[in-house]
Amino acid sequence: MAKPRLLFSIVLAIAASTAAAGKRVPLPDIDNALADCLSIEPKRMRLERGHAVLDADVTLARSIGECGCTSAMAAYHAIATQGERKQRLPRGEVALKTGGLKSLVLGDGRNVINATEVVVALSCSGA
């Protein structure tokens, strides 16, 4: 009797992971505290080794130092909302000495995949 249960559990695990892998991950909204110095446009959300990664195109209008930052590093974090529950995901930093495509690791992919809304906030590092 243990073998059918084990097989059933394996089939359920495969089905769940396949469904999660096939689910389209929505692009987040951006809360850009550095909007006077740069624009950031989300391009693609992907899963990499279990982490949600946002690829975004950054266009610098001027140095983020002119927006009050003390270095070329910007901080970001995401808030994932699922129903009434909001979860703040781990903080990260990204170098913004130049613009172009940037990859922001947002944290555990399950929190992002299951979210109904994701907001990524960008600000000066250390702020």
Side-chain angles (χ1 to χ4, degrees):
M1 179 120 6
K3 285 185 180 183
R5 282 187 184 168
L6 177 62
L7 181 59
F8 181 69
S9 296
I10 291 170
V11 168
L12 280 179
I14 291 170
S17 65
T18 302
K23 185 174 181 182
R24 188 181 183 293
V25 181
L27 289 175
D29 293 325
I30 303 292
D31 178 8
N32 184 2
L34 304 174
D36 288 344
C37 290
L38 65 91
S39 64
I40 180 168
E41 182 182 347
K43 292 295 187 183
R44 178 175 76 136
M45 186 74 85
R46 59 188 164 87
L47 293 174
E48 186 175 297
R49 292 183 288 243
H51 289 91
V53 178
L54 170 64
D55 293 327
D57 190 30
V58 174
T59 304
L60 295 176
R62 58 184 185 224
S63 165
I64 64 173
E66 293 182 45
C67 285
C69 297
T70 57
S71 76
M73 297 296 291
Y76 65 88
H77 71 272
I79 297 175
T81 303
Q82 184 178 10
E84 296 295 316
R85 183 174 165 244
K86 291 186 180 216
Q87 182 176 12
R88 185 179 171 129
L89 301 176
R91 179 182 180 277
E93 291 187 326
V94 60
L96 294 177
K97 198 167 200 163
T98 62
L101 191 65
K102 306 291 181 182
S103 295
L104 311 178
V105 178
L106 302 181
D108 187 340
R110 292 173 294 185
N111 295 323
V112 176
I113 287 174
N114 295 321
T116 52
E117 178 185 35
V118 178
V119 176
V120 175
L122 185 70
S123 62
C124 294
S125 183

